[in-house]
């Protein structure tokens, strides 16, 4: 299946359903969550709380925090998580900024 994402999926195998911002996505089970979301076409993971600028994964190694998502009410780094069945994830709650 072709997506609008500039990223290619290099893994094949079982896929599982996860919910992103209320929409069901079928992602490769066990793959890196940030990479899988990018490959599925997700371009904005969060917004900068000060400027409102859109942010997306940059370092893919837990250093930049640009991949923050909300999972079960907790803000987490998507690049440090694996895809598993039934994840319900969203952009972190936006907090006011200047
Ligand atoms: S992409 Fe940098 S911390 Fe996740």
């Amino acid at each position: 299946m072709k997506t609008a994402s500039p990223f290619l999926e290099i893994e094949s195998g079982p896929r599982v359903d996860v919910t992103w911002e209320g929409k069901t996505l079928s992602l490769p089970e066990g793959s890196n969550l940030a990479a899988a979301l990018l490959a599925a076409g997700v371009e904005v993971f969060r917004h900068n709380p000060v400027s409102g600028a859109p942010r997306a994964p940059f370092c893919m190694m837990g250093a930049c925090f640009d991949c923050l998502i909300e999972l079960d009410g907790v803000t987490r780094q998507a690049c440090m998580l694996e895809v598993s069945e039934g994840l319900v994830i969203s952009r972190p709650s936006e907090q006011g900024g200047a």
Side-chain angles (χ1 to χ4, degrees):
M1 177 175 89
K2 185 169 176 59
T3 68
S5 172
F7 299 96
L8 300 175
E9 289 187 28
I10 57 174
E11 295 184 48
S12 61
R15 301 178 79 85
V16 294
D17 286 344
V18 306
T19 303
W20 166 255
E21 291 286 318
K23 177 180 169 187
T24 301
L25 299 176
S26 180
L27 303 180
E29 185 174 31
S31 65
N32 180 278
L33 180 59
L37 288 172
L38 287 169
V42 174
E43 296 179 338
V44 178
F45 282 50
R46 69 179 183 96
H47 291 90
N48 181 290
V50 176
S51 69
R55 309 302 302 168
F58 180 71
C59 72
M60 299 299 285
M61 61 181 197
C64 74
F65 289 76
D66 280 341
C67 65
L68 293 179
I69 50 93
E70 191 167 296
L71 171 65
D72 295 332
V74 178
T75 301
R76 308 277 305 270
Q77 293 165 286
C79 70
M80 297 287 106
L81 298 170
E82 290 185 355
V83 173
S84 62
E85 177 76 43
L87 292 179
V88 178
I89 49 183
S90 62
R91 293 187 179 98
S93 301
E94 306 283 330
Q95 298 188 2

